[in-house]
Structure formats: structure tokens, C-alpha cells
Amino acid sequence: MKDVIYPSFDDVIAAHDRIRPYIHRTPVLTSSYLNDLTGADLHFKCENFQKAGAFKVRGACNAVFGLPEDKLERGVATHSSGNHALSLSYAAGRRGIPCTVVMPRTAPEAKKAAVRGYGGRIVECEPSTSSREAVFEQVVAETGAEFVHPYNDLRVITGQATCSRELMEQVEGIEGIVAPIGGGGMISGTCLTVSSTAPDVKIYAAEPLNADDAARSFRAGHIIADDAPVTVADGLKVPLKENTWHYVSNHVTDILTATEDEIIAAMKLTWERMKIVIEPSCAVPLAVILKNPDVFAGKRIGVIITGGNVDMDKLPWFKG
Amino acid sequence: MKDVIYPSFDDVIAAHDRIRPYIHRTPVLTSSYLNDLTGADLHFKCENFQKAGAFKVRGACNAVFGLPEDKLERGVATHSSGNHALSLSYAAGRRGIPCTVVMPRTAPEAKKAAVRGYGGRIVECEPSTSSREAVFEQVVAETGAEFVHPYNDLRVITGQATCSRELMEQVEGIEGIVAPIGGGGMISGTCLTVSSTAPDVKIYAAEPLNADDAARSFRAGHIIADDAPVTVADGLKVPLKENTWHYVSNHVTDILTATEDEIIAAMKLTWERMKIVIEPSCAVPLAVILKNPDVFAGKRIGVIITGGNVDMDKLPWFKG
């Protein structure tokens, strides 16, 4: 295994300059109701308002717009549970290069339609890590496309790092940041920025109890991967990989979990009180904040709202 | 009938100064997707993010914080299909005076809970204008409270006028404004500001076809009132009254209507693409913009998103 050269904060600044024309500097919202309820001073970084509906466009744009000329013709390819698929399609569309995405056949229809809307080509797989990776190998063999992994790619992690860079600029005195964890791309980007610029800020990862492989990995000291966990937080089913494990194991303060009911309740509460559409995946941070008042009360906390791509015909608080 | 002295734009400025500590200067959002779809340059004034979840807090605060000392003890009372009830309760709570609201028993549970959360007292009536007004007379007789009508009150209209004042400050070069019309409070406030400060800007009222009494009034040249129209846009069931008719008849460019299906589709589209929670009532403007591209395409248009108080367990695109 070769030595990995991890990106520096200068690389984050360069990424930010590279992707700025293609992304939004998303707003930070507050809610006096949720502050009263939690006892914390919460600042929500609204990547649900981001281009393509999620933070993942940051990493995808950094990878696509950093591609050398000789790789453009064959385009890019990836596998993704949803938002990275949209984001890579968006980024490739903006650069005018081909993009193929392997998506679980169970992915929300709204996400599939949006991928096609941005010009991406979809190849379907079964909803498990093993099927996704097998189908993807075929796609790369056929197209010769540049693989942009949804999270285990340092170009992607460096792009995601621009999100917490903006948050730290937008809100003074942040004492902790809470973000969801699936494969660990957003958390790794957060670690990259925070460890370089504000090492005293605590970093909490929020994970569904039903897909708590990152929490178990964190406690065990090595990567534990589940193949096909079942959770409403469909963006958080994927396992850590070596690059994200580097950041998680070195810089994360703690990984906290929430049940499916707690996640759905936090999602509905956010819709009702903040009037914003957020995905189940990004309700996990609020769920763990509500569950652990001793950790968060009295502190100024940044919360990453990672995305807002929801299938409106399948809301989790409607049964059947 | 005595002569009415209508407010001036100086009164709007005074109202704005009076209510500013109690309201948000709400953001204006854009959507490249909706611009592409409509051919217009749309700027959404997001009063769904307003205190108490709707623009109505502007008018309610202006009435409550303008009350003379000798009227404070008996408090305020009103009847409302929902958001004015919340807003008056919020404003009264901030000033520390009693508030009684007559609400239809069919009003969304979320709105009733929020009224109580702000400290308001609810008296229920049947869902018709006649029942509402009868029950309300009793309440005023019993409490001696100051009546703050949800829209036919010049203090309220002057408060609502601060919304389009902000919009005109936030977006340069607006050529038209579209707002929903029920009783006409928001539209009247828009007329008050726009006729004083930018008389060339066109004002379009958007109304459910199922509750099109304002459109019929506009064409007939006098007020036509329906008693209990049935529409998903539950904030827009009430009829015009003499003060709002003054503004509508003198300053509105046109009143456009949309069917129930068109309203629900525009609401769902806004949730999906803009990632914001809006009420059915404030989806009517987007519905009429989508329906009348000849009127709006190529123009810079302000759209008032009037509120975001939605019962998440009763979304109109779920049947049954």
C-alpha cells in the first residue's frame, strides 16, 4: 500500500476557487423554536439549497473541473445512492463531458429523473454495496471513464471541505459541528477544514442506529462494513473506506446514533418549524442533538443540512 | 358611511419601524429551474420563514404595538382561518396582553397548537363566514377586547405593506408582483406600497378558481362574497371587505385563477425544487404564472410566498 499524501487547507482554498462559479454559497438559518427545545445555539448550513440539491456538488465539481484535458473525452463515472449521482451529472454537464452513474434500482424516482435531467446516463444495480461495485466495474471497463468515488476520493473530500469553510466564515464562535455520516465524505471534509483552521472545534458524526457501522468502526479502531443496512436515511447506507477512515479515526470527537423513529420525528419537526425540505439523512444530526442535550446544550453548534432531494410521494411519516 | 382616511406611505414607514423588533426581514430566493420552466425572472419573498410562519405577523404586530395604553388590559380578539390567529397571538404574547381567536373547527391542528403555544385562547366556530362572525360577536361582547380584523383593518393593511417595501428594496427592477388573494390584506398592502413608490409596477392577485369571489368582484365592479367556498388553499376562503376592495378596485392590474390540481402541482413543485415548505395558499401565484406565460415570460416578477404553516399529516397530494 503506497503512502497517501493528504490534502492541505491550501488545497481546500484552491478547490473553493475552482468550484465557486458552479455552486451556491448556501445560507445559514437559525430557529428560535429549536434553540429553545434543545438549549443549544444551532446554526443550520443549508446545503439542501445547494445546486443539484445537496453538498455533494462541491466534491463532484472539484473532481470534474480539476480533470486534465486528456481525460475529458471519456468522461466520468460513479456509483451512488443518489446525491453524488445528481452532483456528478450536474458537474459533468457544466463541463460538457459524459457521465455514467450506477444507481440502486430502489433509489428515489425524483433523484433518477434529476440525473437524467442533468444529462447523466443511469445503469441500475441491486441495493447492496456488493452489487453496486460489481456493476460499476463493468461500466468502467466499457467506457474507460474516470472514476469519481462518491466519498473515498481525496478530490471529493477536498471539495466537501469548502462547506465547513463557509460555515466557519458565516458564523463566529462555533464550538462544535454535527454532520451525518455514511461513507464519511462530508465528515472528512469537515475534519480537513476544522483540524487546519480551528482544531478546538469538536466534530460529531450522526448516524442511523440501523446503519451504525461507522460508530462500531470508531469504537473498534478499524473499519467495519455492513453490506446492505436498512434505514430511512438512504444517503447513509454506505461504509467507510480508507481515506474517510483516516479523517474519522484521527479527528472526529464522537459518533452518535439515532433510531428510525427519532430520525423521522426530527425530519418532520424541521419541515414543520423551519419550513425547509430536508432529506431523512440530514435529520440525523438534529435527532442526536435532541437525544444528547448534555453534549450540546449551552453551546454554539453548526449543523450541516446535507441535502433536500426527497421523493414527495414517499414521505416516511405516511405509512403504506 | 363616514369618509375613510387611507394610510400614506409615511404610515408604512412608521409601521415598519414599530414592528421591526418583532419580525424577520425575510430572504428572497430564486430558482433557476423555475425560471427556465416559466421563462420569467422570479424572485420569491419568503414569508414562510417569517415569525409565526406567515406575513400576517406584520399586520398583527402593527395593530398590537400601536394600541394605546388604555386598551391593553382587555387585549385583542379576532377571527381567522389560521395564520392571522397565530400572528395576533404571537404579537399579543410579545406585548403581554390577552388574545382570543375564533377559529373554524376544521383549521389545521398544527395552527391550533401554535396559537396555544403563543398563549392565545381559541373559541371554535363552523367553517363558514356567517358562523365565524356570529361566534365572534359573542366573544367581543364577553371580553371587551379590541377587534383586529384579519385584513379589513387599516392598521393590518399598513403592516402587510412592509412586505413589498422590503421586496422592492431587496430586488431591483421588479416589473410585477404576484400575491395570493383571499380577503385581500396582502394585496392591499402591496397596492399601498407600490402605488406610492413604484406606480408602474403591475400587481397581480392569484386566486383559487373554487373561491374566485375576488375575481368576480373585480370584473363586476362591486364586492361579491361567497359564504363557504371549498378549496385546498384554506387561507383564501374569505371575501373582500370595503377597505381591501378600495385597494383591489383601484390598483390591481388583474386577478388570475387556478384550479385545485394546478395549485397542488405548484405547491409540490415548489417543495421539490426550491426545498421550502409553503402552504397551498401561496402556491396559487406560481400556478397562475405557469398557466399564463404570455403575461409573465421575460419579466422580472416578485412572488409573495405568504406562509409555511402546513399540517404535515394532511398533504394534499396524498389521497385519503
Side-chain angles (χ1 to χ4, degrees), chain A residues 212-285:
Chain A
D212 68 342
D213 51 304
R216 286 182 284 126
S217 303
F218 188 72
R219 288 193 290 271
H222 59 86
I223 297 177
I224 298 169
D226 294 335
D227 193 46
V230 176
T231 171
V232 66
D234 66 291
L236 306 181
K237 295 176 176 180
V238 289
L240 296 170
K241 296 274 185 183
E242 63 276 11
N243 284 329
T244 53
W245 173 245
H246 164 78
Y247 289 101
V248 169
S249 59
N250 283 297
H251 298 295
V252 162
T253 306
D254 203 358
I255 301 183
L256 304 168
T257 59
T259 66
E260 298 297 292
D261 283 351
E262 290 164 345
I263 296 166
I264 294 168
M267 177 183 176
K268 193 178 174 195
L269 187 67
T270 304
W271 288 39
E272 283 173 348
R273 302 304 303 221
M274 294 191 67
K275 321 297 182 189
I276 59 175
V277 168
I278 69 166
E279 299 183 16
S281 298
C282 45
V284 189

Side-chain angles (χ1 to χ4, degrees), chain B:
Chain B
M1 190 170 157
K2 65 177 179 180
D3 279 351
V4 178
I5 300 173
Y6 292 101
S8 68
F9 190 65
D10 283 345
D11 294 316
V12 177
I13 295 170
H16 217 166
D17 291 341
R18 183 179 295 127
I19 70 179
R20 196 170 281 116
Y22 313 104
I23 67 165
H24 290 307
R25 184 179 174 92
T26 54
V28 175
L29 299 184
T30 60
S31 162
S32 50
Y33 176 85
L34 292 179
N35 284 350
D36 289 346
L37 192 65
T38 60
D41 178 20
L42 303 177
H43 297 261
F44 295 88
K45 176 69 171 164
C46 286
E47 293 288 296
N48 53 330
F49 294 146
Q50 188 51 271
K51 284 282 178 192
F55 76 92
K56 296 220 170 192
V57 79
R58 296 174 182 269
C61 281
N62 191 43
V64 164
F65 284 93
L67 267 191
E69 291 288 329
D70 63 346
K71 290 192 168 180
L72 297 182
E73 194 179 337
R74 290 181 166 181
V76 289
T78 197
H79 50 75
S80 161
S81 56
N83 282 333
H84 179 64
L86 265 70
S87 297
L88 197 67
S89 302
Y90 166 82
R94 291 304 296 265
R95 195 156 187 196
I97 65 176
C99 176
T100 308
V101 292
V102 174
M103 292 181 81
R105 59 174 172 72
T106 53
E109 279 308 319
K111 289 187 182 176
K112 291 183 191 169
V115 164
R116 294 190 188 102
Y118 291 129
R121 181 173 74 97
I122 296 173
V123 178
E124 293 195 346
C125 67
E126 291 305 302
S128 70
T129 301
S130 50
S131 165
R132 188 180 314 164
E133 295 188 345
V135 173
F136 183 70
E137 266 189 51
Q138 291 181 336
V139 165
V140 170
E142 285 163 16
T143 60
E146 172 80 4
F147 179 24
V148 181
H149 191 282
Y151 54 88
N152 195 43
D153 182 309
L154 293 172
R155 301 167 295 185
V156 169
I157 290 171
T158 307
Q160 320 305 30
T162 62
C163 178
S164 42
R165 185 191 185 209
E166 291 177 12
L167 173 61
M168 303 291 284
E169 289 171 354
Q170 290 166 303
V171 184
E172 279 184 25
I174 291 240
E175 298 170 85
I177 295 179
V178 192
I181 190 163
M186 168 49 73
I187 280 287
S188 294
T190 305
C191 290
L192 169 52
T193 288
V194 167
S195 67
S196 308
T197 62
D200 292 340
V201 170
K202 297 196 186 312
I203 299 170
Y204 298 94
E207 193 174 37
L209 185 62
N210 275 13
D212 69 341
D213 51 304
R216 285 183 285 126
S217 302
F218 188 71
R219 287 194 290 271
H222 58 86
I223 297 178
I224 299 171
D226 294 335
D227 193 48
V230 176
T231 170
V232 67
D234 65 292
L236 306 180
K237 294 176 177 179
V238 290
L240 295 171
K241 297 272 185 185
E242 64 277 12
N243 284 331
T244 52
W245 173 245
H246 164 79
Y247 289 101
V248 169
S249 59
N250 283 299
H251 297 295
V252 163
T253 306
D254 203 358
I255 301 183
L256 304 169
T257 59
T259 66
E260 298 296 291
D261 283 350
E262 289 163 347
I263 295 166
I264 294 168
M267 176 183 177
K268 193 179 174 195
L269 187 66
T270 303
W271 289 39
E272 284 172 348
R273 302 304 303 222
M274 293 191 68
K275 321 297 182 189
I276 58 175
V277 168
I278 69 167
E279 299 183 16
S281 299
C282 45
V284 189
L286 180 60
V288 306
I289 290 168
L290 286 166
K291 196 174 183 174
N292 297 279
D294 51 316
V295 177
F296 299 103
K299 298 209 171 65
R300 177 164 290 187
I301 301 294
V303 181
I304 314 284
I305 298 285
T306 44
N309 292 319
V310 177
D311 190 337
M312 289 296 166
D313 294 315
K314 289 184 183 166
L315 298 179
W317 56 85
F318 286 90
K319 304 296 179 192

Side-chain angles (χ1 to χ4, degrees), chain A:
Chain A
M1 190 170 157
K2 64 176 178 179
D3 279 351
V4 177
I5 300 172
Y6 291 100
S8 68
F9 190 64
D10 282 346
D11 295 316
V12 177
I13 294 170
H16 217 166
D17 291 342
R18 183 179 295 127
I19 70 180
R20 196 170 280 116
Y22 313 104
I23 67 165
H24 290 307
R25 185 180 174 93
T26 53
V28 175
L29 299 185
T30 60
S31 163
S32 50
Y33 176 86
L34 292 179
N35 284 349
D36 289 346
L37 191 66
T38 60
D41 177 20
L42 303 176
H43 297 262
F44 295 88
K45 175 68 172 165
C46 287
E47 293 286 298
N48 53 331
F49 295 146
Q50 188 51 269
K51 284 283 178 190
F55 76 93
K56 296 221 169 193
V57 79
R58 296 174 182 268
C61 280
N62 191 43
V64 164
F65 284 93
L67 268 192
E69 291 288 329
D70 62 348
K71 289 192 168 179
L72 296 181
E73 194 179 336
R74 290 180 166 180
V76 288
T78 197
H79 50 75
S80 161
S81 56
N83 283 333
H84 179 64
L86 265 69
S87 297
L88 197 66
S89 302
Y90 166 83
R94 293 302 298 265
R95 195 154 188 198
I97 65 175
C99 176
T100 307
V101 292
V102 174
M103 291 181 81
R105 59 174 172 72
T106 53
E109 280 307 319
K111 289 188 183 177
K112 291 183 190 169
V115 165
R116 294 190 189 102
Y118 291 129
R121 180 173 74 96
I122 296 174
V123 178
E124 293 195 345
C125 68
E126 292 306 302
S128 70
T129 301
S130 50
S131 165
R132 188 181 314 165
E133 296 189 345
V135 173
F136 182 71
E137 265 189 51
Q138 290 181 335
V139 165
V140 171
E142 285 163 16
T143 61
E146 173 80 5
F147 178 25
V148 181
H149 191 282
Y151 54 89
N152 195 43
D153 183 309
L154 293 172
R155 301 166 296 186
V156 169
I157 289 171
T158 307
Q160 320 306 29
T162 62
C163 178
S164 43
R165 186 192 184 206
E166 290 177 13
L167 173 61
M168 302 292 285
E169 288 172 356
Q170 290 166 304
V171 184
E172 279 184 25
I174 291 239
E175 298 169 87
I177 296 180
V178 193
I181 190 163
M186 167 51 73
I187 280 287
S188 295
T190 304
C191 290
L192 170 52
T193 288
V194 167
S195 67
S196 308
T197 62
D200 291 341
V201 170
K202 298 197 186 310
I203 300 170
Y204 297 94
E207 192 174 38
L209 185 62
N210 276 13
D212 68 342
D213 51 304
R216 286 182 284 126
S217 303
F218 188 72
R219 288 193 290 271
H222 59 86
I223 297 177
I224 298 169
D226 294 335
D227 193 46
V230 176
T231 171
V232 66
D234 66 291
L236 306 181
K237 295 176 176 180
V238 289
L240 296 170
K241 296 274 185 183
E242 63 276 11
N243 284 329
T244 53
W245 173 245
H246 164 78
Y247 289 101
V248 169
S249 59
N250 283 297
H251 298 295
V252 162
T253 306
D254 203 358
I255 301 183
L256 304 168
T257 59
T259 66
E260 298 297 292
D261 283 351
E262 290 164 345
I263 296 166
I264 294 168
M267 177 183 176
K268 193 178 174 195
L269 187 67
T270 304
W271 288 39
E272 283 173 348
R273 302 304 303 221
M274 294 191 67
K275 321 297 182 189
I276 59 175
V277 168
I278 69 166
E279 299 183 16
S281 298
C282 45
V284 189
L286 180 60
V288 306
I289 290 168
L290 286 165
K291 196 173 181 173
N292 297 279
D294 50 316
V295 178
F296 299 103
K299 298 210 171 65
R300 177 163 289 186
I301 300 294
V303 181
I304 314 284
I305 298 285
T306 44
N309 293 318
V310 177
D311 190 337
M312 289 294 166
D313 294 315
K314 289 184 183 165
L315 298 178
W317 56 84
F318 286 90
K319 303 296 180 194

